[in-house]
Amino acid sequence: MEAEVRATVFMELETGEQGGGRAPLSADFAYAAADPFAVTMTFYCDGDEVTRWRLDRDLLTAGCARPAGEGDVRVAPTSDPERGDGVRIELLGTPGPAGRSHAVLHAAAADLTAFLATAHAVVPPGEERVSLDELLDCLGQDESTYGEHAA
């Protein structure tokens, strides 16, 4: 079994336009046994990385079945007669001078659950392990080194 899995998940971004406008978007999802509690979601525009979010794998899994999350990331299942079963992912960014960024994404439930199934095959839920030495090394590094949102 591979220690890392990746998938491109096609999504829609709520545009805030009246009538529930949405724009197509894709994200690269990655899961690695070396970081067993997290899924990394990376967005690109014209080939350049725009932003990267590290999400809790258990939160994503739970959010496919029922509303989950209370902080910067909230995930919930959806059902739409036209689009079918989906998953709504709400992201709240770090507050800044212009306010707090906010994005709402929608993915097909089948795409997200298929990715999570491959992640669970790499490291089954409940069998996650983290090296204490590596964790202490990460905690001792400057936060700006990562440049990622973590939730």
Side-chain angles (χ1 to χ4, degrees), residues 53-122:
W53 284 75
R54 291 180 64 231
L55 308 175
D56 180 78
R57 181 177 75 159
D58 289 344
L59 173 69
L60 281 178
T61 302
C64 289
R66 60 177 166 60
E70 298 177 4
D72 293 341
V73 177
R74 298 176 191 132
V75 185
T78 63
S79 185
D80 183 298
E82 293 178 23
R83 293 181 171 100
D85 291 336
V87 178
R88 180 182 189 272
I89 302 172
E90 182 177 11
L91 305 171
L92 297 167
T94 304
R100 188 170 195 187
S101 58
H102 175 241
V104 177
L105 309 163
H106 296 269
D111 293 344
L112 195 51
T113 56
F115 169 78
L116 289 167
T118 61
H120 292 150
V122 172

Short mmCIF file of all heavy atoms in Angstrom, two decimals, residues 53-122:
data_model
loop_
_atom_site.label_atom_id
_atom_site.label_comp_id
_atom_site.label_asym_id
_atom_site.label_seq_id
_atom_site.Cartn_x
_atom_site.Cartn_y
_atom_site.Cartn_z
N TRP A 53 -4.88 24.37 2.44
CA TRP A 53 -5.52 24.16 3.73
C TRP A 53 -5.20 22.74 4.20
O TRP A 53 -5.28 21.80 3.41
CB TRP A 53 -7.04 24.30 3.61
CG TRP A 53 -7.50 25.71 3.52
CD1 TRP A 53 -7.42 26.53 2.43
CD2 TRP A 53 -8.10 26.47 4.55
NE1 TRP A 53 -7.94 27.75 2.73
CE2 TRP A 53 -8.37 27.74 4.03
CE3 TRP A 53 -8.45 26.19 5.87
CZ2 TRP A 53 -8.96 28.75 4.78
CZ3 TRP A 53 -9.05 27.20 6.63
CH2 TRP A 53 -9.30 28.45 6.08
N ARG A 54 -4.87 22.61 5.47
CA ARG A 54 -4.71 21.30 6.09
C ARG A 54 -5.95 21.08 6.95
O ARG A 54 -6.22 21.84 7.86
CB ARG A 54 -3.45 21.25 6.94
CG ARG A 54 -2.20 21.31 6.05
CD ARG A 54 -0.90 21.26 6.83
NE ARG A 54 -0.79 19.99 7.52
CZ ARG A 54 -0.51 19.87 8.81
NH1 ARG A 54 -0.32 20.93 9.56
NH2 ARG A 54 -0.41 18.68 9.37
N LEU A 55 -6.71 20.05 6.60
CA LEU A 55 -7.97 19.76 7.25
C LEU A 55 -7.87 18.46 8.04
O LEU A 55 -7.14 17.53 7.65
CB LEU A 55 -9.08 19.62 6.21
CG LEU A 55 -9.22 20.76 5.20
CD1 LEU A 55 -10.27 20.40 4.17
CD2 LEU A 55 -9.58 22.04 5.92
N ASP A 56 -8.62 18.36 9.10
CA ASP A 56 -8.66 17.15 9.90
C ASP A 56 -9.39 16.06 9.12
O ASP A 56 -10.52 16.27 8.66
CB ASP A 56 -9.37 17.45 11.23
CG ASP A 56 -9.45 16.25 12.11
OD1 ASP A 56 -8.44 15.92 12.74
OD2 ASP A 56 -10.53 15.62 12.15
N ARG A 57 -8.75 14.91 8.95
CA ARG A 57 -9.34 13.82 8.18
C ARG A 57 -10.65 13.34 8.80
O ARG A 57 -11.63 13.10 8.09
CB ARG A 57 -8.34 12.67 8.07
CG ARG A 57 -8.88 11.50 7.26
CD ARG A 57 -7.88 10.40 7.09
NE ARG A 57 -7.72 9.62 8.32
CZ ARG A 57 -7.22 8.39 8.34
NH1 ARG A 57 -6.81 7.81 7.23
NH2 ARG A 57 -7.09 7.76 9.47
N ASP A 58 -10.68 13.24 10.13
CA ASP A 58 -11.91 12.80 10.80
C ASP A 58 -13.04 13.80 10.60
O ASP A 58 -14.20 13.40 10.48
CB ASP A 58 -11.66 12.58 12.29
CG ASP A 58 -10.81 11.35 12.57
OD1 ASP A 58 -10.66 10.50 11.67
OD2 ASP A 58 -10.29 11.24 13.70
N LEU A 59 -12.72 15.09 10.59
CA LEU A 59 -13.74 16.12 10.36
C LEU A 59 -14.35 15.97 8.97
O LEU A 59 -15.57 16.03 8.80
CB LEU A 59 -13.14 17.52 10.53
CG LEU A 59 -14.05 18.69 10.16
CD1 LEU A 59 -15.20 18.81 11.14
CD2 LEU A 59 -13.26 19.97 10.11
N LEU A 60 -13.51 15.77 7.96
CA LEU A 60 -14.02 15.57 6.60
C LEU A 60 -14.90 14.33 6.52
O LEU A 60 -15.96 14.35 5.90
CB LEU A 60 -12.87 15.45 5.60
CG LEU A 60 -12.20 16.72 5.16
CD1 LEU A 60 -11.04 16.41 4.22
CD2 LEU A 60 -13.17 17.66 4.49
N THR A 61 -14.43 13.26 7.14
CA THR A 61 -15.19 12.01 7.11
C THR A 61 -16.55 12.19 7.78
O THR A 61 -17.58 11.81 7.22
CB THR A 61 -14.39 10.89 7.81
OG1 THR A 61 -13.13 10.74 7.14
CG2 THR A 61 -15.14 9.58 7.78
N ALA A 62 -16.55 12.79 8.96
CA ALA A 62 -17.81 13.01 9.68
C ALA A 62 -18.73 13.93 8.88
O ALA A 62 -19.95 13.70 8.81
CB ALA A 62 -17.54 13.60 11.05
N GLY A 63 -18.16 14.97 8.27
CA GLY A 63 -18.95 15.94 7.53
C GLY A 63 -19.62 15.40 6.28
O GLY A 63 -20.55 16.00 5.76
N CYS A 64 -19.16 14.25 5.80
CA CYS A 64 -19.83 13.62 4.66
C CYS A 64 -21.15 12.99 5.08
O CYS A 64 -22.03 12.78 4.25
CB CYS A 64 -18.92 12.55 4.05
SG CYS A 64 -17.51 13.24 3.16
N ALA A 65 -21.31 12.70 6.38
CA ALA A 65 -22.51 12.04 6.88
C ALA A 65 -23.44 12.97 7.67
O ALA A 65 -24.65 12.77 7.68
CB ALA A 65 -22.12 10.86 7.76
N ARG A 66 -22.85 13.97 8.35
CA ARG A 66 -23.63 14.86 9.20
C ARG A 66 -22.86 16.16 9.36
O ARG A 66 -21.65 16.19 9.16
CB ARG A 66 -23.89 14.22 10.56
CG ARG A 66 -22.61 13.90 11.30
CD ARG A 66 -22.83 13.33 12.68
NE ARG A 66 -21.65 12.74 13.24
CZ ARG A 66 -20.48 13.33 13.48
NH1 ARG A 66 -20.31 14.59 13.18
NH2 ARG A 66 -19.48 12.68 14.01
N PRO A 67 -23.51 17.26 9.74
CA PRO A 67 -22.78 18.52 9.95
C PRO A 67 -21.69 18.33 11.00
O PRO A 67 -21.90 17.70 12.04
CB PRO A 67 -23.86 19.49 10.44
CG PRO A 67 -25.13 18.94 9.87
CD PRO A 67 -24.97 17.44 9.91
N ALA A 68 -20.49 18.85 10.71
CA ALA A 68 -19.35 18.71 11.61
C ALA A 68 -18.50 19.97 11.55
O ALA A 68 -18.44 20.64 10.52
CB ALA A 68 -18.52 17.49 11.23
N GLY A 69 -17.84 20.28 12.66
CA GLY A 69 -16.94 21.42 12.71
C GLY A 69 -17.59 22.62 13.36
O GLY A 69 -18.76 22.90 13.15
N GLU A 70 -16.78 23.31 14.17
CA GLU A 70 -17.27 24.50 14.88
C GLU A 70 -16.36 25.70 14.69
O GLU A 70 -16.73 26.80 15.03
CB GLU A 70 -17.38 24.20 16.38
CG GLU A 70 -18.36 23.12 16.71
CD GLU A 70 -18.39 22.80 18.20
OE1 GLU A 70 -17.70 23.48 18.98
OE2 GLU A 70 -19.09 21.86 18.57
N GLY A 71 -15.17 25.50 14.17
CA GLY A 71 -14.20 26.57 14.07
C GLY A 71 -14.06 27.11 12.67
O GLY A 71 -15.04 27.51 12.03
N ASP A 72 -12.82 27.10 12.17
CA ASP A 72 -12.52 27.67 10.86
C ASP A 72 -12.97 26.79 9.69
O ASP A 72 -12.98 27.24 8.55
CB ASP A 72 -11.01 27.91 10.73
CG ASP A 72 -10.52 28.98 11.68
OD1 ASP A 72 -11.35 29.77 12.16
OD2 ASP A 72 -9.30 29.02 11.94
N VAL A 73 -13.30 25.55 9.97
CA VAL A 73 -13.75 24.63 8.92
C VAL A 73 -15.04 23.96 9.38
O VAL A 73 -15.11 23.42 10.48
CB VAL A 73 -12.68 23.56 8.61
CG1 VAL A 73 -13.19 22.57 7.57
CG2 VAL A 73 -11.38 24.19 8.16
N ARG A 74 -16.04 24.03 8.50
CA ARG A 74 -17.32 23.37 8.77
C ARG A 74 -17.68 22.56 7.54
O ARG A 74 -17.57 23.04 6.42
CB ARG A 74 -18.40 24.40 9.07
CG ARG A 74 -18.07 25.22 10.32
CD ARG A 74 -19.08 26.30 10.57
NE ARG A 74 -18.55 27.19 11.60
CZ ARG A 74 -18.54 28.49 11.53
NH1 ARG A 74 -19.04 29.10 10.47
NH2 ARG A 74 -18.04 29.22 12.49
N VAL A 75 -18.10 21.33 7.77
CA VAL A 75 -18.40 20.41 6.67
C VAL A 75 -19.78 19.80 6.91
O VAL A 75 -20.10 19.44 8.05
CB VAL A 75 -17.33 19.29 6.60
CG1 VAL A 75 -17.57 18.40 5.39
CG2 VAL A 75 -15.92 19.89 6.54
N ALA A 76 -20.57 19.69 5.86
CA ALA A 76 -21.91 19.12 6.00
C ALA A 76 -22.35 18.48 4.69
O ALA A 76 -22.01 18.97 3.61
CB ALA A 76 -22.92 20.20 6.41
N PRO A 77 -23.13 17.40 4.79
CA PRO A 77 -23.68 16.80 3.58
C PRO A 77 -24.79 17.69 3.01
O PRO A 77 -25.44 18.43 3.75
CB PRO A 77 -24.25 15.46 4.07
CG PRO A 77 -24.53 15.69 5.52
CD PRO A 77 -23.53 16.70 6.00
N THR A 78 -24.97 17.62 1.71
CA THR A 78 -26.04 18.36 1.04
C THR A 78 -26.73 17.43 0.05
O THR A 78 -26.19 16.40 -0.35
CB THR A 78 -25.50 19.59 0.29
OG1 THR A 78 -24.62 19.15 -0.75
CG2 THR A 78 -24.78 20.55 1.21
N SER A 79 -27.91 17.82 -0.34
CA SER A 79 -28.63 17.10 -1.38
C SER A 79 -29.35 18.14 -2.23
O SER A 79 -30.02 19.02 -1.71
CB SER A 79 -29.64 16.12 -0.76
OG SER A 79 -30.23 15.36 -1.78
N ASP A 80 -29.15 18.04 -3.53
CA ASP A 80 -29.72 19.00 -4.47
C ASP A 80 -30.34 18.20 -5.61
O ASP A 80 -29.68 17.33 -6.17
CB ASP A 80 -28.60 19.92 -4.98
CG ASP A 80 -29.10 20.99 -5.92
OD1 ASP A 80 -29.64 20.66 -6.99
OD2 ASP A 80 -28.92 22.18 -5.59
N PRO A 81 -31.59 18.49 -5.96
CA PRO A 81 -32.24 17.72 -7.04
C PRO A 81 -31.47 17.78 -8.36
O PRO A 81 -31.46 16.82 -9.11
CB PRO A 81 -33.61 18.38 -7.19
CG PRO A 81 -33.82 19.21 -5.97
CD PRO A 81 -32.47 19.50 -5.40
N GLU A 82 -30.80 18.90 -8.63
CA GLU A 82 -30.07 19.04 -9.89
C GLU A 82 -28.64 18.50 -9.81
O GLU A 82 -28.12 17.95 -10.76
CB GLU A 82 -30.03 20.51 -10.30
CG GLU A 82 -31.38 21.07 -10.68
CD GLU A 82 -31.31 22.54 -11.04
OE1 GLU A 82 -30.22 23.02 -11.41
OE2 GLU A 82 -32.35 23.20 -10.93
N ARG A 83 -27.99 18.70 -8.66
CA ARG A 83 -26.57 18.33 -8.53
C ARG A 83 -26.35 17.00 -7.84
O ARG A 83 -25.25 16.47 -7.86
CB ARG A 83 -25.83 19.43 -7.77
CG ARG A 83 -25.74 20.74 -8.54
CD ARG A 83 -24.97 21.77 -7.73
NE ARG A 83 -24.70 22.96 -8.50
CZ ARG A 83 -25.40 24.08 -8.43
NH1 ARG A 83 -26.44 24.16 -7.62
NH2 ARG A 83 -25.08 25.14 -9.17
N GLY A 84 -27.34 16.48 -7.15
CA GLY A 84 -27.20 15.21 -6.44
C GLY A 84 -26.62 15.42 -5.05
O GLY A 84 -26.59 16.53 -4.52
N ASP A 85 -26.14 14.33 -4.45
CA ASP A 85 -25.59 14.38 -3.11
C ASP A 85 -24.22 15.05 -3.15
O ASP A 85 -23.39 14.76 -4.00
CB ASP A 85 -25.45 12.98 -2.51
CG ASP A 85 -26.80 12.36 -2.22
OD1 ASP A 85 -27.78 13.11 -2.05
OD2 ASP A 85 -26.88 11.12 -2.16
N GLY A 86 -24.03 15.95 -2.19
CA GLY A 86 -22.77 16.70 -2.15
C GLY A 86 -22.27 16.88 -0.73
O GLY A 86 -22.86 16.40 0.24
N VAL A 87 -21.15 17.57 -0.65
CA VAL A 87 -20.56 17.93 0.63
C VAL A 87 -20.22 19.41 0.55
O VAL A 87 -19.58 19.86 -0.40
CB VAL A 87 -19.29 17.11 0.93
CG1 VAL A 87 -18.66 17.54 2.25
CG2 VAL A 87 -19.61 15.61 0.95
N ARG A 88 -20.67 20.15 1.56
CA ARG A 88 -20.42 21.60 1.64
C ARG A 88 -19.26 21.81 2.61
O ARG A 88 -19.30 21.31 3.74
CB ARG A 88 -21.67 22.30 2.16
CG ARG A 88 -21.55 23.79 2.31
CD ARG A 88 -22.88 24.33 2.89
NE ARG A 88 -22.94 25.77 2.87
CZ ARG A 88 -22.48 26.56 3.83
NH1 ARG A 88 -21.91 26.04 4.90
NH2 ARG A 88 -22.58 27.87 3.72
N ILE A 89 -18.23 22.51 2.16
CA ILE A 89 -17.07 22.81 2.99
C ILE A 89 -16.98 24.32 3.12
O ILE A 89 -16.81 25.03 2.12
CB ILE A 89 -15.77 22.25 2.38
CG1 ILE A 89 -15.88 20.74 2.18
CG2 ILE A 89 -14.56 22.60 3.25
CD1 ILE A 89 -14.73 20.13 1.40
N GLU A 90 -17.10 24.81 4.35
CA GLU A 90 -17.01 26.24 4.62
C GLU A 90 -15.67 26.52 5.29
O GLU A 90 -15.31 25.88 6.28
CB GLU A 90 -18.15 26.68 5.53
CG GLU A 90 -18.17 28.15 5.82
CD GLU A 90 -19.36 28.57 6.68
OE1 GLU A 90 -20.06 27.70 7.23
OE2 GLU A 90 -19.58 29.78 6.79
N LEU A 91 -14.90 27.46 4.71
CA LEU A 91 -13.58 27.81 5.22
C LEU A 91 -13.56 29.26 5.67
O LEU A 91 -13.98 30.15 4.92
CB LEU A 91 -12.52 27.62 4.12
CG LEU A 91 -12.46 26.24 3.47
CD1 LEU A 91 -11.52 26.28 2.27
CD2 LEU A 91 -12.03 25.19 4.47
N LEU A 92 -13.07 29.51 6.86
CA LEU A 92 -12.91 30.87 7.37
C LEU A 92 -11.41 31.13 7.53
O LEU A 92 -10.73 30.40 8.24
CB LEU A 92 -13.62 31.02 8.72
CG LEU A 92 -15.14 30.84 8.66
CD1 LEU A 92 -15.72 30.71 10.05
CD2 LEU A 92 -15.76 32.01 7.94
N GLY A 93 -10.92 32.16 6.86
CA GLY A 93 -9.50 32.48 6.88
C GLY A 93 -9.10 33.29 8.10
O GLY A 93 -9.92 33.67 8.93
N THR A 94 -7.83 33.55 8.17
CA THR A 94 -7.26 34.35 9.25
C THR A 94 -7.72 35.79 9.11
O THR A 94 -7.65 36.37 8.02
CB THR A 94 -5.73 34.29 9.20
OG1 THR A 94 -5.33 32.92 9.23
CG2 THR A 94 -5.10 35.02 10.36
N PRO A 95 -8.19 36.42 10.20
CA PRO A 95 -8.60 37.82 10.13
C PRO A 95 -7.42 38.71 9.71
O PRO A 95 -6.29 38.48 10.12
CB PRO A 95 -9.05 38.15 11.56
CG PRO A 95 -9.36 36.84 12.17
CD PRO A 95 -8.42 35.85 11.53
N GLY A 96 -7.69 39.67 8.87
CA GLY A 96 -6.66 40.60 8.40
C GLY A 96 -7.23 42.00 8.30
O GLY A 96 -8.38 42.25 8.70
N PRO A 97 -6.47 42.94 7.73
CA PRO A 97 -6.92 44.32 7.63
C PRO A 97 -8.22 44.48 6.85
O PRO A 97 -9.03 45.36 7.14
CB PRO A 97 -5.78 45.03 6.90
CG PRO A 97 -4.61 44.12 7.00
CD PRO A 97 -5.13 42.74 7.21
N ALA A 98 -8.45 43.61 5.87
CA ALA A 98 -9.66 43.71 5.05
C ALA A 98 -10.79 42.85 5.61
O ALA A 98 -11.82 42.70 4.97
CB ALA A 98 -9.34 43.29 3.62
N GLY A 99 -10.59 42.29 6.78
CA GLY A 99 -11.61 41.42 7.37
C GLY A 99 -11.18 39.98 7.30
O GLY A 99 -10.02 39.66 7.06
N ARG A 100 -12.12 39.12 7.50
CA ARG A 100 -11.85 37.68 7.51
C ARG A 100 -12.36 37.06 6.22
O ARG A 100 -13.54 37.20 5.88
CB ARG A 100 -12.54 37.05 8.71
CG ARG A 100 -12.17 35.62 8.93
CD ARG A 100 -12.69 35.12 10.26
NE ARG A 100 -12.01 33.88 10.56
CZ ARG A 100 -12.32 33.12 11.57
NH1 ARG A 100 -13.27 33.47 12.39
NH2 ARG A 100 -11.68 32.00 11.77
N SER A 101 -11.48 36.39 5.49
CA SER A 101 -11.91 35.75 4.25
C SER A 101 -12.81 34.56 4.56
O SER A 101 -12.72 33.94 5.63
CB SER A 101 -10.69 35.32 3.42
OG SER A 101 -9.89 34.44 4.16
N HIS A 102 -13.68 34.28 3.62
CA HIS A 102 -14.69 33.26 3.81
C HIS A 102 -14.98 32.63 2.47
O HIS A 102 -15.17 33.32 1.48
CB HIS A 102 -15.96 33.93 4.39
CG HIS A 102 -17.11 33.02 4.54
ND1 HIS A 102 -18.30 33.22 3.89
CD2 HIS A 102 -17.30 31.92 5.30
CE1 HIS A 102 -19.16 32.27 4.24
NE2 HIS A 102 -18.57 31.47 5.09
N ALA A 103 -14.97 31.31 2.41
CA ALA A 103 -15.29 30.61 1.17
C ALA A 103 -16.19 29.42 1.48
O ALA A 103 -16.03 28.76 2.50
CB ALA A 103 -14.02 30.12 0.48
N VAL A 104 -17.12 29.17 0.58
CA VAL A 104 -17.98 28.01 0.68
C VAL A 104 -17.81 27.20 -0.60
O VAL A 104 -18.00 27.72 -1.70
CB VAL A 104 -19.46 28.40 0.90
CG1 VAL A 104 -20.34 27.16 0.93
CG2 VAL A 104 -19.62 29.21 2.18
N LEU A 105 -17.42 25.94 -0.43
CA LEU A 105 -17.14 25.04 -1.54
C LEU A 105 -18.13 23.88 -1.52
O LEU A 105 -18.58 23.47 -0.45
CB LEU A 105 -15.73 24.48 -1.41
CG LEU A 105 -14.62 25.50 -1.20
CD1 LEU A 105 -13.37 24.83 -0.67
CD2 LEU A 105 -14.35 26.22 -2.50
N HIS A 106 -18.41 23.36 -2.70
CA HIS A 106 -19.29 22.20 -2.82
C HIS A 106 -18.59 21.15 -3.67
O HIS A 106 -18.07 21.46 -4.74
CB HIS A 106 -20.62 22.59 -3.48
CG HIS A 106 -21.40 23.56 -2.68
ND1 HIS A 106 -22.34 23.17 -1.75
CD2 HIS A 106 -21.39 24.93 -2.64
CE1 HIS A 106 -22.87 24.24 -1.19
NE2 HIS A 106 -22.31 25.31 -1.71
N ALA A 107 -18.57 19.92 -3.17
CA ALA A 107 -17.98 18.80 -3.90
C ALA A 107 -19.00 17.69 -3.99
O ALA A 107 -19.89 17.57 -3.13
CB ALA A 107 -16.73 18.29 -3.18
N ALA A 108 -18.89 16.86 -5.02
CA ALA A 108 -19.75 15.69 -5.11
C ALA A 108 -19.39 14.74 -3.98
O ALA A 108 -18.20 14.47 -3.73
CB ALA A 108 -19.58 15.01 -6.47
N ALA A 109 -20.38 14.25 -3.27
CA ALA A 109 -20.13 13.35 -2.15
C ALA A 109 -19.34 12.12 -2.59
O ALA A 109 -18.43 11.67 -1.88
CB ALA A 109 -21.45 12.94 -1.50
N ALA A 110 -19.66 11.58 -3.75
CA ALA A 110 -18.97 10.37 -4.23
C ALA A 110 -17.47 10.62 -4.42
O ALA A 110 -16.66 9.75 -4.10
CB ALA A 110 -19.60 9.89 -5.53
N ASP A 111 -17.10 11.81 -4.92
CA ASP A 111 -15.69 12.12 -5.14
C ASP A 111 -14.93 12.22 -3.82
O ASP A 111 -13.83 11.69 -3.67
CB ASP A 111 -15.52 13.42 -5.92
CG ASP A 111 -16.03 13.34 -7.34
OD1 ASP A 111 -16.25 12.20 -7.84
OD2 ASP A 111 -16.24 14.40 -7.95
N LEU A 112 -15.53 12.91 -2.87
CA LEU A 112 -14.86 13.11 -1.58
C LEU A 112 -14.79 11.81 -0.79
O LEU A 112 -13.75 11.47 -0.21
CB LEU A 112 -15.56 14.20 -0.78
CG LEU A 112 -14.80 14.76 0.40
CD1 LEU A 112 -13.38 15.19 0.04
CD2 LEU A 112 -15.54 15.93 1.01
N THR A 113 -15.87 11.04 -0.77
CA THR A 113 -15.84 9.78 -0.03
C THR A 113 -14.90 8.76 -0.67
O THR A 113 -14.28 7.97 0.03
CB THR A 113 -17.25 9.19 0.16
OG1 THR A 113 -17.86 9.01 -1.11
CG2 THR A 113 -18.11 10.08 1.05
N ALA A 114 -14.76 8.80 -1.99
CA ALA A 114 -13.80 7.90 -2.66
C ALA A 114 -12.37 8.25 -2.25
O ALA A 114 -11.55 7.36 -1.97
CB ALA A 114 -13.96 7.98 -4.17
N PHE A 115 -12.06 9.56 -2.21
CA PHE A 115 -10.73 9.96 -1.77
C PHE A 115 -10.49 9.53 -0.33
O PHE A 115 -9.44 8.98 0.02
CB PHE A 115 -10.53 11.48 -1.90
CG PHE A 115 -9.29 11.94 -1.21
CD1 PHE A 115 -8.05 11.76 -1.81
CD2 PHE A 115 -9.34 12.51 0.04
CE1 PHE A 115 -6.89 12.13 -1.16
CE2 PHE A 115 -8.18 12.89 0.70
CZ PHE A 115 -6.95 12.71 0.10
N LEU A 116 -11.47 9.76 0.54
CA LEU A 116 -11.31 9.39 1.95
C LEU A 116 -11.16 7.88 2.13
O LEU A 116 -10.42 7.43 3.00
CB LEU A 116 -12.48 9.93 2.78
CG LEU A 116 -12.45 11.46 2.96
CD1 LEU A 116 -13.79 11.95 3.50
CD2 LEU A 116 -11.31 11.89 3.86
N ALA A 117 -11.82 7.10 1.30
CA ALA A 117 -11.67 5.64 1.37
C ALA A 117 -10.22 5.23 1.08
O ALA A 117 -9.68 4.34 1.74
CB ALA A 117 -12.63 4.95 0.41
N THR A 118 -9.59 5.89 0.11
CA THR A 118 -8.19 5.57 -0.18
C THR A 118 -7.28 6.02 0.97
O THR A 118 -6.32 5.34 1.31
CB THR A 118 -7.70 6.19 -1.51
OG1 THR A 118 -7.80 7.61 -1.44
CG2 THR A 118 -8.50 5.67 -2.69
N ALA A 119 -7.62 7.16 1.59
CA ALA A 119 -6.84 7.62 2.75
C ALA A 119 -6.99 6.64 3.91
O ALA A 119 -6.02 6.36 4.62
CB ALA A 119 -7.29 9.03 3.16
N HIS A 120 -8.19 6.12 4.12
CA HIS A 120 -8.42 5.15 5.19
C HIS A 120 -7.72 3.83 4.91
O HIS A 120 -7.37 3.11 5.84
CB HIS A 120 -9.91 4.94 5.41
CG HIS A 120 -10.59 6.14 5.98
ND1 HIS A 120 -11.91 6.43 5.72
CD2 HIS A 120 -10.15 7.13 6.79
CE1 HIS A 120 -12.25 7.55 6.35
NE2 HIS A 120 -11.19 8.00 7.00
N ALA A 121 -7.51 3.50 3.64
CA ALA A 121 -6.76 2.29 3.30
C ALA A 121 -5.28 2.44 3.65
O ALA A 121 -4.62 1.47 3.99
CB ALA A 121 -6.93 1.96 1.82
N VAL A 122 -4.75 3.67 3.55
CA VAL A 122 -3.34 3.92 3.88
C VAL A 122 -3.13 3.81 5.39
O VAL A 122 -2.23 3.13 5.86
CB VAL A 122 -2.90 5.31 3.36
CG1 VAL A 122 -1.50 5.66 3.87
CG2 VAL A 122 -2.92 5.34 1.85
#
